[in-house]
């Protein structure tokens, strides 16, 4: 088996917008969009069907059955189509007796399900933690599926989804390549801020092969869809900050919007090559707080540069200072700063500089010692 998820996985997942409203046509249209609109080229190479893809009973052999109305051609046909577009294909199951939406879980059928998924050409499994059998050892349930996946001989990224406190301290032991940190994200600033900044401080658990997952993106939902926060939604500025924070944290970048209706502004956020390069940097060191500076994060990059993120989480605009103390540089060093959102050099600075940052906005700059 190859080493998987050496960089944070990138792709699209149906849940945040579509919930149970998924079907064969939607998945094919989304695959087309991922290629035609440049998402695949930018690095988004996995298309994941979340919960609600299956019928509510296993067949007489105990195998999971695709919902015959949503997927009349079965899942393998959809997976084949996705693969024909040079994309990887992901699916969803659950370690308990039922999935979170109440469909058959994998508990007691881990090997059977892993083999079925491998036979369909599954490349990514999101494995949830609803309806766990009382008294069952959660780690062991995840170990069982991790083991079953490896025994299929197929390279399958194992995405653990159980947002219990402390999951990040042990989930890698099961073979998981990423692990959800919290309950579900919603499309509002409060939720983005809570989930995103909740991942700051536990970055040392994440690195090549196993990543902290603060949940899928809500960029571009505009208050619609399943986690649209009942029409509340976020602003373009907040979506940009959300994407930048996830990029800095080495979070998996799983798109959650309807790609068929994405506006140019949303595409610009999601296809920001500089931010994606920060997220996918070879060093795989997630951003962490610079001591003494609230909400200023630093992320060392493999080529010796450092990406800095200044996040204004407050309701008013404010000045935020950036200093290269505690980053491995001296305050006397001369640093050239490049703005990863404006895509331009800001010139050279010694010691520190300040930015005026609007409410819920951010500044992402890459520093290079000159
Ligand atoms: C949980 C997960 C979501 C989604 C649903 C599906 O809530 O956190 O991301 O997978 O289950 O039912």
């Amino acid at each position: 088996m190859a080493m998987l998820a050496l960089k944070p996985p990138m792709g699209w997942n149906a849940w945040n917008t579509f919930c149970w409203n998924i079907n064969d046509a939607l998945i094919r249209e989304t695959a087309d969009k991922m290629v035609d609109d440049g998402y695949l080229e930018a690095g988004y190479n996995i298309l994941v069907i979340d919960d609600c893809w299956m019928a509510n009973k296993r067949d007489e052999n105990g195998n999971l059955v695709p919902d015959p109305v949503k997927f009349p051609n079965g899942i393998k046909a959809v997976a084949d189509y996705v693969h024909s577009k040079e994309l990887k294909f992901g699916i969803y199951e659950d370690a308990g007796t039922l999935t979170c939406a109440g469909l058959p879980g994998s508990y007691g059928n881990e090997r059977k399900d892993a083999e079925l998924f491998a036979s369909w050409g599954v490349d990514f499994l999101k494995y949830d933690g609803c309806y766990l059998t009382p008294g069952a050892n959660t780690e062991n349930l995840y170990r069982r599926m991790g083991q079953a996946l490896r025994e299929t001989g197929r390279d399958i990224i194992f995405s653990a989804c159980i947002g219990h406190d402390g999951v990040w301290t042990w989930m890698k032991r099961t073979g998981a390549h990423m692990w959800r940190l919290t309950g579900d994200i919603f499309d509002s600033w409060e939720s983005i801020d809570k989930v995103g900044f909740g991942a700051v401080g536990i970055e040392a658990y994440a690195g090549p092969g196993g990543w902290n997952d603060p949940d899928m993106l809500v960029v571009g939902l505009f208050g619609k869809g399943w986690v649209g926060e009942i029409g509340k939604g976020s602003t373009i500025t907040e979506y940009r900050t959300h994407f930048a924070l996830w990029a800095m944290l080495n979070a998996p970048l799983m798109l959650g919007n309807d790609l068929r209706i994405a506006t140019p502004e949303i595409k610009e956020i999601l296809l920001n090559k500089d931010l994606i390069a920060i997220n996918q940097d070879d060093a795989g060191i997630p951003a962490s707080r610079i001591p003494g500076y609230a909400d200023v994060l630093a992320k060392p990059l493999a080529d010796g540069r450092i990406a800095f993120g200044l996040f204004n989480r407050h309701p008013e605009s404010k000045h935020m200072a950036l200093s290269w103390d505690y980053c491995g540089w001296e305050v006397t060093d001369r640093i050239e700063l490049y703005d990863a959102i404006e895509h331009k050099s800001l010139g050279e600075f010694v010691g520190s500089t300040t930015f005026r940052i609007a409410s819920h906005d951010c500044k992402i700059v890459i520093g290079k010692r000159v």
Side-chain angles (χ1 to χ4, degrees):
M1 202 175 104
M3 292 274 282
L4 300 177
L6 291 177
K7 312 237 167 130
M10 293 175 66
W12 178 87
N13 178 302
W15 185 258
N16 280 0
T17 294
F18 295 99
C19 181
W20 59 77
N21 286 319
I22 50 172
N23 56 52
D24 183 296
L26 169 72
I27 301 307
R28 287 174 199 251
E29 286 167 21
T30 301
D32 293 347
K33 273 287 175 201
M34 286 178 79
V35 177
D36 298 347
D37 286 4
Y39 296 99
L40 173 60
E41 200 190 339
Y44 299 97
N45 64 352
I46 315 169
L47 188 161
V48 185
I49 300 182
D50 208 280
D51 205 348
C52 306
W53 60 266
M54 60 179 109
N56 59 11
K57 279 204 172 50
R58 290 176 179 266
D59 70 12
E60 62 282 5
N61 301 316
N63 281 319
L64 295 165
V65 181
D67 182 308
V69 176
K70 295 173 182 170
F71 296 102
N73 310 307
I75 295 293
K76 171 116 186 5
V78 178
D80 287 349
Y81 185 79
V82 169
H83 287 146
S84 77
K85 295 274 165 175
E86 310 282 320
L87 293 158
K88 294 181 188 301
F89 177 74
I91 207 162
Y92 167 101
E93 245 299 357
D94 189 287
T97 49
L98 298 172
T99 70
C100 296
L103 294 160
S106 282
Y107 180 68
N109 289 288
E110 291 86 351
R111 279 186 198 157
K112 190 182 266 297
D113 293 353
E115 278 161 20
L116 183 66
F117 295 152
S119 78
W120 286 346
V122 165
D123 307 296
F124 178 106
L125 175 66
K126 175 172 169 182
Y127 202 48
D128 218 328
C130 279
Y131 298 101
L132 299 180
T133 305
N137 177 310
T138 308
E139 180 171 338
N140 195 35
L141 296 182
Y142 278 83
R143 279 186 190 256
R144 277 195 210 166
M145 186 50 95
Q147 185 59 26
L149 291 175
R150 285 187 297 278
E151 284 178 5
T152 66
R154 193 175 168 84
D155 287 340
I156 301 178
I157 295 176
F158 186 27
S159 164
C161 177
I162 178 164
H164 291 179
D165 251 9
V167 114
W168 48 89
T169 63
W170 58 266
M171 191 53 99
K172 197 165 199 286
R173 297 199 289 255
T174 71
H177 301 102
M178 52 192 267
W179 37 86
R180 270 278 291 280
L181 304 174
T182 62
D184 293 7
I185 193 169
F186 289 94
D187 180 16
S188 65
W189 173 254
E190 292 71 28
S191 179
I192 292 168
D193 181 75
K194 181 166 166 246
V195 171
F197 276 91
V200 176
I202 56 169
E203 55 282 328
Y205 292 99
W211 305 98
N212 286 332
D213 175 13
D215 207 351
M216 305 171 294
L217 299 165
V218 295
V219 175
L221 265 64
F222 293 112
K224 301 205 182 73
W226 180 246
V227 299
E229 189 76 307
I230 321 167
K232 197 169 171 196
S234 313
T235 65
I236 286 285
T237 299
E238 290 164 345
Y239 287 140
R240 197 188 307 113
T241 301
H242 167 29
F243 189 75
L245 179 57
W246 264 234
M248 288 288 286
L249 291 171
N250 273 145
L253 298 176
M254 301 302 288
L255 309 169
N257 55 319
D258 184 346
L259 300 185
R260 301 168 306 176
I261 56 166
T263 62
E265 275 171 312
I266 291 300
K267 282 190 203 162
E268 191 184 330
I269 293 174
L270 298 174
L271 295 170
N272 180 328
K273 287 197 164 56
D274 286 322
L275 291 181
I276 292 173
I278 289 174
N279 177 264
Q280 298 285 301
D281 182 69
D282 283 339
I285 307 172
S288 55
R289 261 202 177 97
I290 301 184
Y293 293 83
D295 307 328
V296 180
L297 309 182
K299 182 182 199 313
L301 302 179
D303 64 3
R305 295 178 303 158
I306 301 178
F308 298 100
L310 298 88
F311 295 89
N312 181 1
R313 302 165 65 192
H314 299 281
E316 277 102 42
S317 70
K318 63 173 187 174
H319 283 97
M320 294 185 74
L322 171 65
S323 155
W324 7 109
D325 250 345
Y326 303 106
C327 298
W329 283 335
E330 307 299 328
V331 283
T332 49
D333 285 335
R334 177 173 289 275
I335 305 296
E336 185 187 350
L337 292 180
Y338 171 85
D339 189 316
I341 292 176
E342 300 292 329
H343 311 293
K344 62 171 195 211
S345 173
L346 302 178
E348 294 179 9
F349 301 83
V350 178
S352 67
T353 186
T354 2
F355 297 102
R356 184 160 185 83
I357 302 183
S359 167
H360 301 175
D361 205 350
C362 68
K363 198 86 188 160
I364 308 291
V365 288
I366 303 176
K368 180 179 181 345
R369 193 162 65 77
V370 288

